[in-house]
Amino acid sequence: ISMASAFGVHMPVKVPTATTHTATARRGNNMLMRTRVCDLLGKRSNRQARRITYSHKRNKRVQHVNLQWKRFWSDALGRKVRLRISTRGIKTVNKYGGIDAAARKFGVDLTKF
């Protein structure tokens, strides 16, 4: 269990590992919390943002990454690859002409997806 926060301060988030994934799949409970991170670019939520009220009070807020589940065809693997990717990451894939070139550029191993 990692101390990376998904819902607030010090809320534990289960990080996927090979042992926990197989153990949960056997019991039928395969709900695994993932942190809100882009699989291609590694973009994370901005936790330094503030909301400023009319009276100029400053309240902390979180600006989340706009993540989408997207399937791309990988010519290198000969199959579709399903990624949790930010909208900026989708534009980056289009710019490089495919998921294979973008993954090569950013050092992402597509066999894990």
Side-chain angles (χ1 to χ4, degrees), residues 51-59:
R51 178 179 288 119
I52 300 181
T53 64
Y54 178 75
S55 62
H56 211 68
K57 288 185 197 172
R58 296 177 179 195
N59 302 323

Side-chain angles (χ1 to χ4, degrees), residues 18-100:
T19 55
T20 55
H21 185 64
T22 55
T24 56
R26 249 183 270 135
R27 284 180 279 161
N29 181 14
N30 56 0
M31 288 188 61
L32 191 65
M33 277 296 295
R34 291 187 57 193
T35 55
R36 295 187 56 87
V37 178
C38 177
D39 288 334
L40 183 68
L41 302 177
K43 292 175 76 70
R44 294 180 172 271
S45 298
N46 178 16
R47 299 197 167 272
Q48 304 297 318
R50 289 178 171 174
R51 178 179 288 119
I52 300 181
T53 64
Y54 178 75
S55 62
H56 211 68
K57 288 185 197 172
R58 296 177 179 195
N59 302 323
K60 290 184 180 178
R61 67 179 299 258
V62 177
Q63 293 174 338
H64 291 291
V65 181
N66 188 3
L67 292 177
Q68 309 293 325
W69 283 104
K70 182 100 170 101
R71 284 193 297 264
F72 295 100
W73 176 259
S74 172
D75 291 326
L77 299 177
R79 65 178 175 90
K80 286 187 176 180
V81 178
R82 185 169 182 249
L83 299 170
R84 194 171 191 201
I85 190 168
S86 63
T87 51
R88 172 66 60 96
I90 294 171
K91 291 173 78 172
T92 304
V93 169
N94 291 337
K95 177 178 134 181
Y96 284 106
I99 190 67
D100 296 319

